Amino acid sequence: MRGTLYLVGTPIGNLEDITYRAVRILKEADIIYCEDTRVTKKLCQHFEITAPLKAYHDHNKEVMTEQVIDSLNNGLNCALVSDAGLPLISDPGYELVIAARENEIKVESIPGPNAALTALMTSGLSSYSFLFDGFLPRKDNEKKQRLSHLMALPHTIIIYESPYRVKHTLETIKIIDEDRMVSIARELTKKFEQVETMLVTEAIKALDDTIKLKGEFVICIAPYDKQSENNWWDKLSIVDHVEHYIESGMKSKEAIKQTSVDRQMKKQDVYQAYHIQ
Ligand code: SAM
């Protein structure tokens, strides 16, 4: 009999958020694969889980995927956890699930806490349709381009962010649309949990004051509202609209195309307005 691969959710701060089932599966597992054995050791000590821990992270996943599959093929039940929250969600595990499925090994998810959805629930922003995009690119241009694309979608956007980049990300959101509502969730489920929802311009002012740049952050961005009479480019001329996209990293041809889509104008007309300044 082959073993089962269990993908086990663990708390994102508050240890009381672990499920009975997660504790039982981890107690019964033959091996627990985790990102950082020191982090998971603390969790295991707290819940009297004694299964052996082995590291499975981004830097060893190629070698370790084979090892985990061998263990499963040899009948061992293996659990995969990340430092916090759900494995695979901005955390390692995807390649392992692919390999397990290719080997016809049973994969079971043991649901648990997740920072993105926890932030969304409290944010007061629309939860009907949302898009989780993990971490944004670090390079300024790529980040602007990614945010410009995301912020034109009719979904609440959820991103993970490091405290060192929250300010820059909010400033980039403001460049794209200064009238957008954002929600900043910090230290979810922990002692200093804070969730603030306000205009991006107000959020920038609140940083370092009411919103301390310490701990772990999730940023939710309100959906682009097509029905709204106000488009973010309403105050811009056609030329400024095109230049806005060029500054965010697009080539001029692409920027003209996007502007024509936004304004529901013919591409030629935008081209002329841009080039015959
Ligand atoms: N797999 C995890 C999950 O399911 O939420 C996410 C792992 S990702 C590597 C870590 C990021 O999640 C942090 O940088 C932060 O953006 C977010 N995060 C994790 N725990 C959090 C918390 N308690 N409060 C706010 N954000 C958190």
Side-chain angles (χ1 to χ4, degrees):
M1 273 274 281
R2 286 166 171 186
T4 298
L5 173 63
Y6 295 101
L7 309 168
V8 184
T10 58
I12 55 169
N14 192 326
L15 288 180
E16 287 179 24
D17 292 336
I18 201 159
T19 66
Y20 290 114
R21 187 163 168 233
V23 173
R24 178 177 62 75
I25 294 287
L26 292 177
K27 281 188 172 171
E28 290 172 2
D30 294 301
I31 309 171
I32 299 172
Y33 289 92
C34 55
E35 280 185 274
D36 184 337
T37 50
R38 289 163 304 181
V39 172
T40 304
K41 194 172 170 190
K42 284 188 197 150
L43 180 87
C44 288
Q45 278 169 347
H46 186 88
F47 291 103
E48 298 172 355
I49 295 162
T50 54
L53 302 179
K54 284 195 184 176
Y56 182 95
H57 47 65
D58 278 335
H59 307 291
N60 73 357
K61 65 186 176 194
E62 268 177 42
V63 185
M64 288 308 289
T65 296
E66 256 181 65
Q67 216 189 91
V68 184
I69 298 296
D70 282 348
S71 303
L72 289 158
N73 276 330
N74 287 327
L76 300 179
N77 287 322
C78 298
L80 178 73
V81 297
S82 47
D83 283 351
L86 299 178
L88 277 88
I89 309 301
S90 291
D91 268 335
Y94 173 65
E95 292 80 358
L96 182 57
V97 171
I98 296 287
R101 291 175 67 88
E102 278 169 6
N103 282 270
E104 293 177 10
I105 286 163
K106 192 170 174 214
V107 182
E108 262 186 52
S109 289
I110 314 299
N114 162 256
L117 294 181
T118 306
L120 175 67
M121 288 194 299
T122 336
S123 69
L125 301 180
S126 170
S127 56
Y128 292 111
S129 178
F130 56 86
L131 191 153
F132 169 65
D133 204 46
F135 290 97
L136 291 169
R138 288 192 189 189
K139 284 193 187 152
D140 193 33
N141 255 0
E142 290 172 23
K143 187 193 230 180
K144 251 191 220 155
Q145 209 169 351
R146 186 78 198 141
L147 276 171
S148 296
H149 166 72
L150 294 170
M151 287 174 61
L153 302 173
H155 316 293
T156 297
I157 305 299
I158 313 171
I159 50 175
Y160 286 159
E161 196 49 285
S162 127
Y164 309 108
R165 287 188 288 274
V166 166
K167 191 160 187 242
H168 182 263
T169 298
L170 291 179
E171 277 163 356
T172 312
I173 293 171
K174 183 183 154 198
I175 292 172
I176 298 165
D177 181 5
E178 64 177 13
D179 294 323
R180 197 67 68 99
M181 292 288 282
V182 293
S183 181
I184 320 286
R186 175 178 162 254
E187 295 289 82
L188 290 163
T189 77
K190 301 184 198 175
K191 188 173 172 192
F192 295 109
E193 170 171 312
Q194 187 179 18
V195 182
E196 306 284 353
T197 301
M198 53 184 89
L199 280 174
V200 63
T201 41
E202 288 167 7
I204 292 170
K205 284 186 209 146
L207 292 181
D208 278 330
D209 181 19
T210 41
I211 306 174
K212 299 267 173 286
L213 283 170
K214 270 190 190 160
E216 300 193 277
F217 284 82
V218 181
I219 301 177
C220 298
I221 309 169
Y224 171 59
D225 183 5
K226 272 201 181 130
Q227 305 308 316
S228 141
E229 283 178 23
N230 301 322
N231 297 308
W232 63 262
W233 60 81
D234 281 349
K235 290 182 220 140
L236 300 182
S237 65
I238 294 178
V239 173
D240 290 341
H241 192 161
V242 175
E243 269 168 5
H244 165 89
Y245 281 126
I246 292 173
E247 274 165 31
S248 78
M250 287 187 190
K251 298 248 162 50
S252 65
K253 202 174 153 194
E254 217 183 328
I256 288 171
K257 189 174 163 203
Q258 188 58 50
T259 304
S260 70
V261 172
D262 289 348
R263 293 185 177 238
Q264 298 181 339
M265 285 173 71
K266 281 190 189 151
K267 218 163 46 180
Q268 278 158 286
D269 294 342
V270 176
Y271 182 91
Q272 284 206 336
Y274 182 65
H275 284 288
I276 309 167
Q277 295 180 38

